[in-house]
Amino acid sequence: MDSDRRRHSRSWDWDSPECRAQLDDVFFRQHDYIQAGSPEHKEFWTFFDRFQRFKTKRDMTGSGSSRKEEKKDRKQTGHVDLGLPKDYDARYRINVSVCTRDVEERLAKSEHRGRKSSSGPGPQEVSDCRLALLHFLDFNQRQSFGKLAKLRREQKNLPIFQYRDRIVDLVRRHPVVVVAGDTGCGKSTQVPQYLLSAGFKHIACTQPRRIACISLAKRVSFESLNQYGSKVGYQIRFETSRTAATKLLFLTEGLLLRQIQQDRTLAQYEVLIVDEVHERHLHCDFLLGVLRTLLESRPDLRLILMSATINIKLFSDYFNSAPVMQVPGRLFPIQVIYQPIPPEEQASRSEKLDPRPYLRILQAIDQRYPPEERGDLLLFLSGVAEISTIQEACQIYATHTRRWIVLPLHSTLSLAQQDKVFDIAPPGVRKCIISTNIAETSVTIDGVRFVVDSGKVKEMSFDPKAKMQRLQEFWISRASSEQRKGRAGRTGPGVCYRLYAESDYDAFAPYPVPEIHRVALDSLILQMKSMGLGDPLSFVFIDPPPAASIQTAVTYLKEQGALDSHSELTSIGSLLAQLPVDVVIGKMLVLGSLFNLVEPVLTVAAALSVQSPFLRSSQHNPDCATARQPLHSNQGDPFSLLNTFNAWVEVKGERGGGSRKWCRRRGLEEQRLYEMVNLRRQFKDLLRSHSLLESEDSAPSAGDRTQRRDRLTERRKLHQLKRDHEQQEGSRRKVLRLDEGQDGDFSSGSDSEEKGKGKKDKKGPEQDVDIQEVKFKLRHNVSELQDAVNVSQDLSSRQQALLKLLLCRGLYPQLALPDEHNNTRKDSEQVFHTRNKQGVVIHPTSVFASDPEVLHVPEDETREMGPDRRDSSRHQLLAFVTLLETNKPYLSNCVRVPALQALLLVANSVDSNADCTRLVVDGWLEVELREQEEALNVLSTALTLRAEWERLLQAQLGQGSMGVSGVHGVSRKAMEKLSEGLVRFLLYTEVSYSLRRLAAFQTQNLYVGPQSESELFDAKSQGLNPLFPGLEAKPDPIKGGLRVTSFFTYNCLTDSKDLYSECLRTFWTCPNCDLYMPLTPLERMQHEASCRPKGEQHNEDPSDERASSSSSASSLCRVYHCDICNEDLKLTSTEILKHKRQHMYSVK
Amino acid sequence: KYKRSPSEIFTCQLCGLSSPFTYYGQKPPNTRAIVLLEECFVTKDPFSPDKEKFLVLGSTCSMCSSCVCVGSDCSLFYTKRFCMQCVNKYLDQFPHQIQAELAKKRQSSKTAVS
Ligand SMILES: [Zn+2]
Ligand SMILES: [Zn+2]
């Protein structure tokens, strides 16, 4: 009996930690299966308490203590005796034993010898503990095996399980197989496993979404009991779990395409599975086209297309009538109710959605279905505005009835808010999830019984004429409609309310418009070019895009400088094709690598590649707005993002996990900042791998041994935290509160902070581990990051100017001109024009929406030159990242730049009149300068700077592509000098000019057109040295005039006077040589370009520039006398110009 | 006696449950003081956060040598492993606690079906 034992056990107390610790020394030593201090160890002692209580209870009731086995005569079955013990003991049912004899002997000895540990465990205690441990081990085995058995049962119950052998057989016999099955048939998780266990190795399975790659890899590796092995892996942009042992890899379609770029035959794979082909994403359509060709050279390759049961024939036909295996989905019956919206409740375009039809359905559900019958409602609307309208109305109803929790779901919500839809409603209450089509395929919510389908979707389309993306509302397709309906039947029979008539349904398009027909094809065409796929127009797509969009893309890429005039890749183009980012972002990175601005450019490029961290819902919260204020920069949104990131890194360095609170207070989604920091790091690696950035010292970053050890210990701890978190992840869902949805979109920063605190109390400290912070610390060295960030903090105005120029050049031709009447308009009515679209507005999230004055030309600095001509030196343009039309065309992520300087430095086409006082840029912006002298100076400076910039850029790129590491194609000196020149030009050009957009009729007869040779050329002009080495001024065959550089055409504008007409000649003294004569502007520029001032290098290190240029340029050198220095110098023409320029600036 | 082959598959002859095993024997790796009382098909426990934990999938019936999983529908351990067929065959040799338990289980599964 218990009391008995206690008497015998001297001072033994099972509840005393000391006593337990003594047993820990026996059973849970450092190398034991379970170690003291581990989570299992803790579990054991909890189990032990339970086990003791159970034993006591059993002993008391006497139920188990009946030691005497009934001496029933055993009828011997046959002659076999199993030799089982006579007396029953639960111990005999455990197939494990624990040997601790060594320790026990030691214990016994020490007790015997010195009686030192008189209070130590006696044999009884050790035996009690051992018994409990055996039961504990057995209990854990049973639990885990139970889970395994359940898993296997579920796998067997999947519809696709019946087709297992047939699928494997088809794959063995055919190069291409189509597996078509609807939601819930299990194809994505099972088919790869079937192929693995059939002996196929090196399987790649593509997914349209990154998140699916990770979750599928986790799921499949879990199902194949290989959770911690590496046979199943994933690889997404910038992140991989792939190892040499990986047999099955989940990856994005885009990534597989990149792999084909490296390895034309994909020799690394034996089987390719392309999943979700019916979704018809751009990359997927393209991938299919590429694979179709690739199969010809890889007859051994197996290709499996997996699709919903939509348009299967299209895929089968595209691959030479590939066999199709159709698998039924697992859907419960769904009742469809058509409830078209009556005309009086239909919203016209401008009006808000009428909530009445939606409320009626909520009411109907409340009336028809008792609250004990569980089942949530999923409501599909077209967009965010519609969601908040209906959410508001439903919330009022929900507050009244207390039977609903209303939750919005769309991609611009914070992740925490998105996550709420997976939480559970309390008994008697239903979730009403109001979602965009994100819940149609991307997000799967269990427990939905009712679906309400508005029949509408907002889809992005690309308008090639306006070069603008457009978000428009459409009727959905029948396929989408079925998909939405299916969401009601995943866990049981369901109901689908369609807010349109059956006749509408019949009139829907059968399938959604494939992406390739809707979007800009720039990246696609660039990739095709770099893969050497020939003319994009003749490529056999499964569903070819319109020729016009291909053409638009080619033109755009030419404007961006990625393709040359023959549509061939330029050196920058081939680099851009390898960077897995948008063309404009890639350009920024490349440009940034040239100057000392890599760190801020990396941040900006990363920031512009992820969703904005500024939560829209917090914008109207005054506290958030105030807290955010110091982060805003009126230079432009990229600068606000840069400030935000820098400030965040600083907070991270100081307070670590405190950054979460910091973000909340400012209405920032911290997840985006984590994405940025990861992306930034990857961009850096990318630039390094293309030799565009010096490699950092690989030597361990400082610190003595103890420091390193500390860091190592910390990392181990972090890894443990991460593992623990992954274990808990998704294990249990929270129960929602009834008022959960109410604060929804309108939650203020301080409110949610309080809520956070409340949660913390409930959960306890361990639950509150900020896993993002843990991952962040594992991935990044905070102090290194701080160093990097310090570089980009408090940029000088000069660096800022240069950074803006880089962004502008990256973003070009995405430029917008403020309307000339903006000064007199209200803040909310500021209008802008792009080349292809007039009357666009700034998105309300942009800094320029709240602070438009900084874009205005200051009144006191303008000179009215006429009714519509205002001269100033302060005109500005906006370079923007996106132009998206929703209800209005909006510009987002804008940066302001000085207009004339930026245009002259980045534009592809600058045309002038004879005296260069009138310039037309890219055929749509007209610049009129007041002073001919100033005009020439500005133009000449710009031409020189651009030539030098181009030269250095090419040198940098050439170096990158040749992969010569260590050798720097661009000397630091040359780079610094160029940036100095650019900054001066940007900041100190004080030239008065007018700037306006040309009206359509003005662009009609812009150019003089081709001229005859005799008209243009005389011996004189040919005798002049070209402005730039290697470029000759040739007559432009289309515009007329003289093409001086690839972007500058002189005297081609129709108002131009005759090139050599005497009236243009003015007397001019060359500041460098003794020349004094009447010259035309062109003659003068040509002279200036060739007559280089000397003495330029006096204040420089002569060994650098001269040594490097002497070999290549000595033939171009000539003796030049500089008046200012009063010295004869032997210089090249470029050097002379630089020399001259130096004097020019120093005089100023 | 020790077999370690990562690619071999254990399959229960009664319920068909199959799964790759990483070890066969009585002393799975990293178990220290723990010894199995029968030769088992063992894999790493995929449900434990600790990758060192083992999971016994099944073993062979001490009477008929058929390969069975440790699920309670397929086998029973009572000092030795018995497949359910053998348990039923020699039911009377098992202690009455086990007999009662099995009878109760049979009863409840019957009611669950009906
Ligand atoms: Zn079994
Ligand atoms: Zn047997």
Side-chain angles (χ1 to χ4, degrees), chain A residues 44 47-48 51 127-137:
Chain A
F44 167 76
F47 179 88
F48 180 86
F51 186 66
S127 150
D128 280 357
C129 188
R130 175 183 297 112
L131 188 65
L133 176 57
L134 290 178
H135 279 277
F136 177 67
L137 292 171

Side-chain angles (χ1 to χ4, degrees), chain A residues 771-1006:
Chain A
I771 189 62
Q772 292 302 337
E773 163 77 8
V774 171
K775 284 187 187 166
F776 171 82
K777 276 195 183 156
L778 275 172
R779 256 182 227 158
H780 307 277
N781 183 333
V782 185
S783 61
E784 252 175 49
L785 196 62
Q786 272 182 307
D787 291 344
V789 153
N790 279 336
V791 177
S792 51
Q793 224 153 18
D794 305 319
L795 292 176
S796 67
S797 58
R798 307 163 73 83
Q799 287 172 305
Q800 205 170 49
L802 196 56
L803 180 54
K804 277 160 72 173
L805 177 65
L806 297 192
L807 299 186
C808 178
R809 183 162 177 193
L811 293 171
Y812 175 86
Q814 291 160 196
L815 298 177
L817 171 75
D819 188 84
E820 52 190 328
H821 301 301
N822 275 355
N823 283 24
T824 57
R825 287 197 179 100
K826 283 197 288 188
D827 280 8
S828 54
E829 286 165 10
Q830 303 283 309
V831 177
F832 298 79
H833 312 288
T834 72
R835 181 180 180 178
N836 302 294
K837 179 84 184 169
Q838 288 192 62
V840 300
V841 296
I842 304 252
H843 198 267
T845 52
S846 171
V847 65
F848 296 119
S850 45
D851 196 5
E853 288 85 18
V854 295
L855 297 174
H856 295 168
V857 177
E859 293 287 350
D860 50 345
E861 286 183 55
T862 55
R863 273 178 284 186
E864 295 286 342
M865 300 301 290
D868 44 277
R869 182 168 168 189
R870 287 224 313 263
D871 277 19
S872 168
S873 59
R874 298 271 173 268
H875 291 288
Q876 295 182 90
L877 293 174
L878 284 183
F880 59 88
V881 179
T882 43
L883 169 55
L884 168 68
E885 187 177 82
T886 51
N887 56 344
K888 279 182 203 163
Y890 286 113
L891 299 173
S892 345
N893 280 328
C894 309
V895 60
R896 63 186 166 103
V897 289
L900 179 63
Q901 296 94 311
L903 287 174
L904 292 180
L905 290 175
V906 309
N908 277 341
S909 151
V910 176
D911 304 313
S912 83
N913 63 356
D915 63 359
C916 299
T917 53
R918 182 171 169 246
L919 305 171
V920 171
V921 181
D922 291 333
W924 73 286
L925 287 171
E926 186 191 55
V927 174
E928 283 188 279
L929 298 111
R930 282 157 49 82
E931 303 289 337
Q932 181 190 335
E933 180 72 20
E934 284 180 347
L936 287 175
N937 274 339
V938 156
L939 199 57
S940 181
T941 310
L943 294 184
T944 314
L945 287 170
R946 256 183 100 149
E948 179 64 359
W949 193 0
E950 216 46 47
R951 189 183 72 79
L952 295 186
L953 192 59
Q954 287 308 322
Q956 172 94 343
L957 288 173
Q959 168 203 337
S961 64
M962 284 185 286
V964 189
S965 53
V967 183
H968 300 295
V970 180
S971 81
R972 183 168 283 266
K973 193 135 244 160
M975 184 273 291
E976 275 167 9
K977 205 160 124 199
L978 172 63
S979 42
E980 181 63 24
L982 289 171
V983 166
R984 275 171 190 266
F985 183 65
L986 288 165
L987 293 180
Y988 306 122
T989 302
E990 299 277 345
V991 179
S992 198
Y993 61 97
S994 71
L995 176 66
R996 62 194 183 100
R997 174 182 213 283
L998 288 175
F1001 72 90
Q1002 288 170 305
T1003 59
Q1004 296 285 309
N1005 300 305
L1006 204 53

Side-chain angles (χ1 to χ4, degrees), chain A residues 4-213:
Chain A
D4 226 22
R5 194 177 335 123
R6 228 170 243 157
R7 205 167 41 245
H8 288 294
S9 315
R10 296 141 302 173
S11 56
W12 189 260
D13 175 11
W14 279 113
D15 294 330
S16 122
E18 289 77 27
C19 289
R20 289 192 177 192
Q22 281 175 326
L23 283 171
D24 287 347
D25 286 340
V26 179
F27 293 102
F28 308 114
R29 290 162 301 170
Q30 203 192 344
H31 296 289
D32 270 322
Y33 186 63
I34 296 172
Q35 292 142 24
S38 67
E40 282 106 338
H41 174 250
K42 216 174 130 193
E43 278 168 38
F44 167 76
W45 283 112
T46 317
F47 179 88
F48 180 86
D49 291 337
R50 249 185 10 235
F51 186 66
Q52 293 298 94
R53 277 199 301 277
F54 169 77
K55 271 204 314 194
T56 314
K57 198 172 141 203
R58 192 193 54 189
D59 289 351
M60 305 262 271
T61 56
S63 62
S65 62
S66 58
R67 281 274 156 136
K68 45 182 187 335
E69 176 74 6
E70 279 140 78
K71 292 263 167 69
K72 197 167 31 170
D73 279 332
R74 279 185 176 158
K75 268 191 272 143
Q76 295 294 321
T77 334
H79 306 286
V80 190
D81 180 6
L82 301 185
L84 298 178
K86 295 275 176 291
D87 293 336
Y88 176 80
D89 191 330
R91 162 75 188 81
Y92 296 140
R93 304 186 67 165
I94 300 171
N95 65 345
V96 182
S97 107
V98 176
C99 307
T100 49
R101 207 180 309 152
D102 50 331
V103 193
E104 285 166 51
E105 277 169 5
R106 211 184 57 219
L107 262 173
K109 253 185 235 163
S110 69
E111 202 164 347
H112 187 71
R113 264 195 229 130
R115 295 220 149 277
K116 265 183 276 173
S117 51
S118 56
S119 60
Q124 184 60 50
E125 283 84 24
V126 171
S127 150
D128 280 357
C129 188
R130 175 183 297 112
L131 188 65
L133 176 57
L134 290 178
H135 279 277
F136 177 67
L137 292 171
D138 188 56
F139 173 75
N140 282 348
Q141 287 289 317
R142 279 176 205 279
Q143 265 205 326
S144 284
F145 186 82
K147 286 183 195 164
L148 174 66
K150 180 169 171 248
L151 188 70
R152 291 289 182 256
R153 247 184 346 259
E154 283 168 356
Q155 284 179 320
K156 263 191 178 175
N157 288 338
L158 285 170
I160 199 156
F161 187 76
Q162 309 299 321
Y163 299 82
R164 180 190 166 124
D165 296 337
R166 271 181 277 175
I167 289 170
V168 169
D169 184 54
L170 276 179
V171 173
R172 285 219 173 92
R173 290 190 292 119
H174 299 271
V176 184
V177 175
V178 180
V179 176
D182 283 320
T183 319
C185 79
K187 58 185 185 308
S188 301
T189 53
Q190 303 306 304
V191 170
Q193 293 188 68
Y194 298 165
L195 296 174
L196 267 185
S197 55
F200 288 100
K201 290 173 201 79
H202 311 296
I203 304 172
C205 179
T206 68
Q207 293 294 323
R209 283 169 289 275
R210 272 178 254 161
I211 190 85
C213 294

Side-chain angles (χ1 to χ4, degrees), chain A residues 145, chain B residues 10 12-17 67-71 73-75:
Chain A
F145 186 82
Chain B
F10 162 83
C12 172
Q13 289 180 353
L14 287 184
C15 71
L17 176 136
C67 202
V68 283
C69 76
V70 298
D73 291 337
C74 296
S75 74

